[in-house]
Amino acid sequence: MNILVTGISGYIGSRLAPRLVKEGHAVRGFARRPVKVNPEISLVTGDAVSGKGLAQALEGIDVAYFLIHSMEPSRDGTFDIRERAAAENFARTAEAAGVRRIVYLGGMMPPGGPASPHLASRLAIEEVLLEAAACPVVLRASIVVGAGSRSFRFLVRLVERMPVLLVPAWHRHHTNPIDERDMVELLARAAVSDGACGHSLDAAGPETVSYGELIARIREHMLVDRGTIAFRRLSATPIASRISARIAEEEYELIGPLMESLEHDLPPRDERAAGLLEVRLHSLDAAIEHALREWERAEPLAAR
């Protein structure tokens, strides 16, 4: 099949595209600026927010992945405005090009619906894309455990760089982190599974843990001893996120919305995704160890 991967220079897109090529698909990438990709992958440069390059990118495509997020700083409005514009341009152009299947990676929702601008934007895009093709497939995920995952890297940096971990009240909330390898496999199989058409599925790992437990697991695998002060009521997300972003050397525009999302339980609605797409899931410990090992091949961790 002819497959388009938008956001091919991003974390998930850069890992998904080679997996699709290996499967024998003809893969085309879409990115805002020229990037180095697999020689077997063609690249179209453009901007989904303005719509530039989308018609060329979607021409002749059977399956299109929407992996575009806009959390970085920009002069073009807030991230939710940019993401909505990108999704609407993409949906309109894909429909005009006759794209039958669209696959979107969004975010898990707390019970009762989104409770942060970050998650509200993810849900709004999902609703746009579910109406944009004959066979839309949505996969919702919370934390992807991988060496390139910015949410995972954020937690690792806190463990690495803080002699005493000060954990806000969100440490009590729960979710199901998923191994990067499983996330990529679910996305790849979503391109060909007829049973997934029209579904919004939760891409959940096999273990439900609190964010505090997740940090403790990371600490154990890093072989470091860190004292922890876990606050029961104190959240102070705007202040804590700015301090945490500085410690992790990340952009506040990313860390702020991320920490807002941590203030809620993000449980999977069900466990259908792995069964429907026939993917065997790695354990959380296997995911963390694999991610840290891959990270250290490129960049030693000071705390290890």
Side-chain angles (χ1 to χ4, degrees), residues 96-169:
V99 176
R100 183 176 180 275
R101 184 179 302 226
I102 290 175
V103 182
Y104 169 57
L105 175 58
M108 277 191 195
M109 298 292 145
S116 72
H118 171 227
L119 295 179
S121 179
R122 297 289 183 265
L123 183 59
I125 293 171
E126 175 179 321
E127 291 170 348
V128 169
L129 297 180
L130 279 172
E131 299 295 326
C135 175
V137 183
V138 172
L139 290 170
R140 296 178 177 180
S142 58
I143 293 178
V144 177
V145 179
S149 165
R150 293 179 78 176
S151 55
F152 178 73
R153 291 179 68 88
F154 166 65
L155 297 177
V156 171
R157 288 302 192 197
L158 295 184
V159 172
E160 179 189 36
R161 296 175 176 177
M162 294 181 67
V164 177
L165 292 169
L166 304 177
V167 186

Side-chain angles (χ1 to χ4, degrees), residues 10-264:
Y11 166 51
I12 292 295
S14 64
R15 285 156 174 77
L16 174 63
R19 166 68 179 78
L20 296 170
V21 169
K22 186 177 179 180
E23 197 73 15
H25 300 297
V27 178
R28 181 183 302 160
F30 182 77
R32 284 179 298 178
R33 57 186 64 89
V35 294
K36 185 177 180 180
V37 295
N38 187 311
E40 298 179 71
I41 299 173
S42 62
L43 180 69
V44 175
T45 57
D47 182 0
V49 176
S50 67
K52 180 182 177 181
L54 279 177
Q56 179 186 353
L58 287 160
E59 184 179 359
I61 290 297
D62 301 304
V63 179
Y65 286 89
F66 189 85
L67 305 177
I68 297 171
H69 299 305
S70 301
M71 305 298 291
E72 71 282 353
S74 174
R75 297 178 181 177
D76 299 328
T78 58
F79 72 87
D80 55 329
I81 294 175
R82 298 196 305 274
E83 290 187 338
R84 180 68 181 236
E88 290 178 343
N89 286 334
F90 180 86
R92 184 167 51 251
T93 310
E95 186 174 8
V99 176
R100 183 176 180 275
R101 184 179 302 226
I102 290 175
V103 182
Y104 169 57
L105 175 58
M108 277 191 195
M109 298 292 145
S116 72
H118 171 227
L119 295 179
S121 179
R122 297 289 183 265
L123 183 59
I125 293 171
E126 175 179 321
E127 291 170 348
V128 169
L129 297 180
L130 279 172
E131 299 295 326
C135 175
V137 183
V138 172
L139 290 170
R140 296 178 177 180
S142 58
I143 293 178
V144 177
V145 179
S149 165
R150 293 179 78 176
S151 55
F152 178 73
R153 291 179 68 88
F154 166 65
L155 297 177
V156 171
R157 288 302 192 197
L158 295 184
V159 172
E160 179 189 36
R161 296 175 176 177
M162 294 181 67
V164 177
L165 292 169
L166 304 177
V167 186
W170 51 251
H171 73 91
R172 295 176 296 170
H173 297 298
H174 292 77
T175 193
N176 289 58
I178 185 167
D179 190 308
E180 166 198 300
R181 295 167 291 183
D182 300 335
M183 189 70 256
V184 170
E185 192 64 25
L186 287 168
L187 285 166
R189 298 194 182 193
V192 296
S193 170
D194 289 335
C197 283
H199 289 288
S200 172
L201 303 166
D202 287 341
E207 298 176 59
T208 301
V209 294
S210 70
Y211 297 114
E213 291 168 339
L214 176 57
I215 290 172
R217 295 274 195 101
I218 292 171
R219 185 177 59 205
E220 290 170 6
H221 282 278
M222 292 177 67
L223 306 177
V224 297
D225 186 15
R226 292 282 188 266
T228 302
I229 300 176
F231 297 99
R232 295 178 60 85
R233 295 183 177 85
L234 179 63
S235 176
T237 295
I239 298 173
S241 57
R242 288 190 181 277
I243 296 172
S244 298
R246 183 175 293 273
I247 291 171
E249 296 181 353
E250 275 283 7
E251 296 166 341
Y252 169 71
E253 288 79 4
L254 169 76
I255 298 303
L258 170 63
M259 289 187 66
E260 287 181 356
S261 299
L262 297 180
E263 292 188 349
H264 309 276

